[in-house]
Amino acid sequence: MGAPFGDLIGTSENTVVLAPISVNATFDSTAIDRKNWGAVYLTLSLGEVGAAFAADKYYTFILEDSDDNSTFTAVTDATAVHGTFEDIATGLIVKVDDATAHDNLAYPVEYVGKKRYVRIAAVKVSTPDATIMGINTISHTPSMAGTTGLLGSN
């Protein structure tokens, strides 16, 4: 095996912030404390999305950060993240409004910003079906963060 894989295992911490569960409500994931870590790689995983999702029945998933683990705001600075966002101007990772387009997909993003805490907020609009979802993170050392991080640059 190459050194980068071994380096990641020895200099990272894996955390489940939302164990896979059927969700049918608005929620905030557990916040990740970045103290002593350079970046946090977050993966939102969706199971089979229910048929009741539509333009007026959906979830939005927003990346948020905080200095104090109390007041969170959407991450809207493109230089603070790596990965694909549906709308970085609002911190929107993805809007899940179509069952067939989002079934069994994962949405990875990486936070390399300056604030200490980071989390994903899920906002339920109207009454979409309950959906299995989970959120996992990898916090990694400052030496692995920077301009490329785990996901590369934007």
Side-chain angles (χ1 to χ4, degrees):
M1 290 285 153
F5 185 70
D7 287 350
L8 177 61
I9 291 172
T11 57
S12 65
E13 178 177 272
N14 301 304
T15 307
V16 175
V17 294
L18 177 66
I21 189 170
S22 180
V23 176
N24 197 16
T26 293
F27 70 90
D28 297 322
S29 74
T30 302
I32 296 298
D33 185 349
R34 294 181 56 237
K35 184 178 181 180
N36 301 321
W37 299 110
V40 176
Y41 176 91
L42 304 99
T43 302
L44 166 66
S45 301
L46 299 176
E48 187 173 328
V49 176
F53 281 75
D56 62 341
K57 298 176 184 178
Y58 58 88
Y59 273 97
T60 58
F61 295 93
I62 299 165
L63 186 64
E64 297 181 330
D65 61 4
S66 171
D67 287 320
D68 60 7
N69 200 23
S70 178
T71 304
F72 283 84
T73 57
V75 177
T76 58
D77 178 1
T79 65
V81 295
H82 298 143
T84 303
F85 281 72
E86 196 164 312
D87 182 8
I88 190 60
T90 62
L92 180 65
I93 299 168
V94 64
K95 177 181 176 182
V96 178
D97 59 356
D98 179 337
T100 57
H102 299 284
D103 269 354
N104 303 308
L105 291 179
Y107 297 90
V109 295
E110 185 175 28
Y111 181 81
V112 294
K114 301 205 181 305
K115 295 199 177 179
R116 181 167 170 179
Y117 301 92
V118 63
R119 72 180 185 191
I120 292 178
V123 178
K124 175 184 169 183
V125 176
S126 192
T127 55
D129 290 341
T131 299
I132 302 291
M133 59 185 75
I135 302 171
N136 296 307
T137 68
I138 300 174
S139 301
H140 54 89
T141 62
S143 63
M144 298 186 73
T147 58
T148 58
L150 295 176
L151 289 178
S153 59
N154 285 334

